[in-house]
Amino acid sequence: MKAKPTISKPTMSRPTILITGASTGIGEALVRHLVGKFVNPRFILASRNVGRLRQLANQLSSQLNTKSEVLALECDVSNKKSVERLIEKSYRKFKVIDVFVLNAGVSMWQSFKEIEQIDILETIMKTNYLGVVYPLHFAFKRILRDRSKIIVVSSAQSFIPLPYHSGYVASKYAVNGFLDTLRQEEKGVSITEIMFGWVRGTDLRKNALGKKNLKASKSSKKTSKKNLFAVELTEAIDVITKAFYSKKKVVFSPPIIGIIPIVKVFLPRLLYRIIRKITRGEAKR
């Protein structure tokens, strides 16, 4: 059996890839996956969890050849100064960043009326929205100069309002509008926004802010069935990897999510009934 070809093109023979939220979940899995996909890659790994990040960097360094490099940098994407330091250190080290994977994020599970600490909505907005805005702001002139690729790990909730996710939905709507505006302003910028449904195999749900308070349903046994709007972590990583060379502005994963905007226009009541049912099922997982 022939070996699978690596993802390599002349302009990406030694790519420099920056990934936020790189220490766990999608970010960590993506880094581990990309190690064998490029020739002599250089990684900039950013996360608040600097201990876990350095551990990951050491593991990767032992797998890479001497022409590859891993730069692990502590960064809180919700903090403007922290992100500015990340970008400046990255360009000082590597001069160019070929691909930005803006992945860091935080979720929530709580109805708006049950929120006691309104600060959680500010935390979500700063992490999910400004966590995309800040890196692009501090690097944008160089991104345009170098024709860098921007990949934003987003959510179908950027156009689907889910119960118990008011702050999260608002932050993703903001990201979607922001990226659309950048495309209008700069025709040369390459941005692929990935709209995921629920991604299985991460701690995003476990680490969600707020506390869900949903009544148990008699149909709880049905939650073991596969959710049409969910993907496994390995599937999600494949989707992100393909986006490195994609010219698509938006990618839906799973693909069925792509029909939701149409259903939302013509059959909104049906759509919202389905959304409420699925969300209740997800809350019991």
Side-chain angles (χ1 to χ4, degrees):
M1 183 180 293
K2 292 183 178 180
K4 292 182 179 180
T6 57
I7 301 175
S8 177
K9 292 187 177 183
T11 57
M12 294 283 277
S13 60
R14 195 187 183 194
T16 301
I17 304 165
L18 183 149
I19 302 174
T20 64
S23 62
T24 58
I26 290 175
E28 178 187 2
L30 178 64
V31 176
R32 293 185 184 279
H33 180 74
L34 292 177
V35 165
K37 294 293 182 180
F38 289 100
V39 177
N40 304 324
R42 302 186 297 186
F43 292 107
I44 303 162
L45 309 182
S47 172
R48 291 181 301 174
N49 190 341
V50 67
R52 178 73 190 97
L53 198 62
R54 288 172 180 166
Q55 182 183 12
L56 174 62
N58 290 335
Q59 293 172 357
L60 294 176
S61 295
S62 65
Q63 300 173 37
L64 295 166
N65 60 42
T66 54
K67 293 184 179 181
S68 299
E69 296 180 72
V70 180
L71 179 63
L73 295 174
E74 182 177 9
C75 179
D76 178 355
V77 297
S78 69
N79 183 289
K80 182 169 57 178
K81 291 295 183 182
S82 182
V83 176
E84 185 176 16
R85 286 193 296 270
L86 166 70
I87 297 302
E88 291 307 315
K89 287 180 179 179
S90 298
Y91 277 102
R92 192 180 309 132
K93 174 71 174 179
F94 294 123
K95 310 304 179 189
V96 64
I97 300 173
D98 298 294
V99 183
F100 288 75
V101 182
L102 304 180
N103 162 73
V106 62
S107 186
M108 71 174 289
W109 275 88
Q110 190 170 46
S111 69
F112 184 73
K113 71 179 180 181
E114 293 169 335
I115 295 175
E116 296 179 358
Q117 300 296 328
I118 194 64
D119 290 353
I120 70 169
L121 297 187
E122 181 181 353
T123 298
I124 292 168
M125 185 61 74
K126 291 178 70 175
T127 303
N128 295 353
Y129 171 60
L130 293 178
V132 171
V133 173
Y134 287 155
L136 296 185
H137 170 71
F138 291 115
F140 206 58
K141 290 182 179 179
R142 285 171 283 200
I143 287 173
L144 296 176
R145 178 197 68 192
D146 302 327
R147 301 182 68 83
S148 306
K149 175 71 180 184
I150 301 166
I151 300 172
V152 178
V153 179
S154 191
S155 167
Q157 292 182 56
S158 62
F159 56 88
I160 307 173
L162 264 61
Y164 317 109
H165 291 72
S166 57
Y168 184 79
V169 169
S171 69
K172 293 302 182 180
Y173 267 62
V175 169
N176 183 249
F178 170 66
L179 297 179
D180 266 348
T181 302
L182 291 189
R183 295 188 189 99
Q184 291 289 334
E185 293 177 352
E186 302 292 342
K187 291 184 178 180
V189 67
S190 177
I191 304 172
T192 297
E193 184 178 9
I194 303 178
M195 308 292 198
F196 283 119
W198 280 286
V199 180
R200 304 277 189 245
T202 76
D203 288 334
L204 190 64
R205 176 82 54 81
K206 177 182 175 182
N207 298 328
L209 301 181
K211 183 175 65 175
K212 67 179 183 296
N213 184 18
L214 303 177
K215 295 181 180 179
S217 169
K218 294 180 180 179
S219 61
S220 60
K221 291 182 180 180
K222 295 182 180 179
T223 59
S224 61
K225 294 183 178 180
K226 182 173 176 60
N227 185 335
L228 290 176
F229 302 112
V231 294
E232 298 298 326
L233 180 58
T234 52
E235 297 176 73
I237 298 308
D238 284 338
V239 170
I240 297 171
T241 304
K242 290 177 182 177
F244 274 63
Y245 293 111
S246 175
K247 294 182 180 180
K248 293 182 178 180
K249 296 178 180 178
V250 177
V251 174
F252 299 100
S253 181
I256 193 173
I257 289 174
I259 70 170
I260 292 179
I262 300 173
V263 178
K264 186 177 177 181
V265 172
F266 294 102
L267 296 168
R269 291 184 180 179
L270 174 61
L271 176 63
Y272 292 146
R273 274 204 307 272
I274 294 172
I275 287 173
R276 285 193 292 270
K277 182 177 179 180
I278 291 176
T279 305
R280 291 191 189 101
E282 282 293 313
K284 302 186 192 79
R285 287 184 178 272

